[in-house]
Amino acid sequence: MQNVPVCIRHELEALADPSYRSFQAKLVPTVDPERILGVRTPALRAYAKTLVRERPDDARAFLSTLPHETYDENNLHGELIGRVAATPEEAFELLDAFLPHVDNWATCDLIRVPAFRRNLDLVLEHIQGWITSDPEYMVRFGVVQLMTLFLDDAFAPEQLEMVARITRPEYYINMARAWYFSFALIKQPEATLPLFERRPCALDAWTHNKALQKARESRRITPEQKARFQELKV
């Protein structure tokens, strides 16, 4: 019987669109273009859904095999985690194994875990571990999950400080921090504005200014808010 990961690799190759490969390569400059097959996201998601439904054992076998050779296999792995994990604990186990192998922002950001909403307190505890870990995209994943899951009803002001305390030089970590704070300025302005009004700045200047810029670009803020965000630039 053919090795499951090899079989899945061949199926992804059959789904690949060569004309899309060069476009994807420009989006993820940290990935060697030779490792990109060119599977479009809708096709990848449809394949992941079918794999879990019709060949669950193959999906599990694929998740147990790391590292993968291609960017597209990593994307499939990220898609499968959200579809396979039935509990936050199961998701943590799969993510802790996978995230150290992630090498780009796109793979990191496509991961969605519906099971997380079953126990947000437990997820927040795990996020604190991710954002203080060493792997670059494990840190980014933690920040993105804070933005996705904790800026509405589950928000607490101390979460802002969790992200503010991250002091890392990597561009894709700090871009995620800026993204997080731009949404925090829009969704939780009363709690977030004092952080940006603080002097000396609570954030490094690049992240501070990038967050304000991204917030100003939103259509969800008033002209008065836009003007205030411009004033806070350093």
Side-chain angles (χ1 to χ4, degrees):
M1 185 173 67
Q2 190 175 30
N3 181 275
V4 168
V6 173
C7 174
I8 287 177
R9 166 74 176 276
H10 290 165
E11 291 168 351
L12 289 174
E13 289 172 344
L15 292 171
D17 179 350
S19 66
Y20 188 60
R21 180 181 174 185
S22 59
F23 173 75
Q24 279 191 313
K26 294 176 183 177
L27 292 179
V28 286
T30 58
V31 180
D32 182 348
E34 294 300 316
R35 295 181 50 240
I36 298 174
L37 301 177
V39 181
R40 293 179 180 269
T41 301
L44 183 81
R45 287 177 174 159
Y47 176 73
K49 182 178 180 179
T50 300
L51 189 64
V52 171
R53 183 181 67 246
E54 298 182 1
R55 295 155 52 196
D57 291 343
D58 284 359
R60 290 281 183 181
F62 180 79
L63 287 172
S64 68
T65 306
L66 285 166
H68 301 301
E69 294 183 8
T70 68
Y71 164 78
D72 308 75
E73 287 172 287
N74 277 337
N75 285 351
L76 176 63
H77 197 119
E79 282 285 340
L80 290 175
I81 288 174
R83 296 176 184 276
V84 165
T87 65
E89 292 86 350
E90 185 178 8
F92 298 152
E93 183 178 352
L94 292 169
L95 287 163
D96 288 344
F98 177 57
L99 289 172
H101 298 282
V102 174
D103 58 2
N104 68 92
W105 68 268
T107 301
C108 175
D109 294 1
L110 68 76
I111 302 170
R112 295 290 183 270
V113 186
F116 276 174
R117 295 192 179 276
R118 297 185 178 185
N119 191 335
L120 287 178
D121 289 341
L122 187 61
V123 172
L124 183 61
E125 181 180 325
H126 216 84
I127 285 173
Q128 291 174 319
W130 283 328
I131 65 175
T132 56
S133 66
D134 183 63
E136 178 179 356
Y137 292 97
M138 186 173 277
V139 177
R140 181 181 171 100
F141 181 76
V143 175
V144 171
Q145 294 309 299
L146 269 178
M147 180 183 70
T148 303
L149 299 171
F150 292 91
L151 280 178
D152 295 305
D153 293 342
F155 174 76
E158 55 265 30
Q159 294 161 10
L160 299 169
E161 297 293 343
M162 287 171 56
V163 181
R165 285 195 297 267
I166 297 172
T167 53
R168 294 282 292 263
E170 294 95 326
Y171 172 82
Y172 288 103
I173 290 178
N174 288 318
M175 182 56 80
R177 294 172 68 231
W179 190 18
Y180 168 84
F181 281 117
S182 71
F183 272 78
L185 283 164
I186 295 164
K187 291 188 170 188
Q188 302 290 344
E190 290 185 7
T192 309
L193 268 173
L195 191 77
F196 283 79
E197 293 168 340
R198 193 184 304 173
R199 295 294 183 269
C201 292
L203 306 174
D204 60 278
W206 187 91
T207 304
H208 177 103
N209 289 337
K210 181 62 71 172
L212 291 168
Q213 174 194 327
K214 292 177 75 66
R216 291 197 309 272
E217 292 170 354
S218 172
R219 296 180 180 179
R220 300 167 61 182
I221 65 170
T222 66
E224 292 76 18
Q225 286 176 306
K226 185 173 292 190
R228 180 57 178 148
F229 294 165
Q230 178 64 35
E231 291 173 355
L232 290 172
K233 186 178 177 180
V234 296

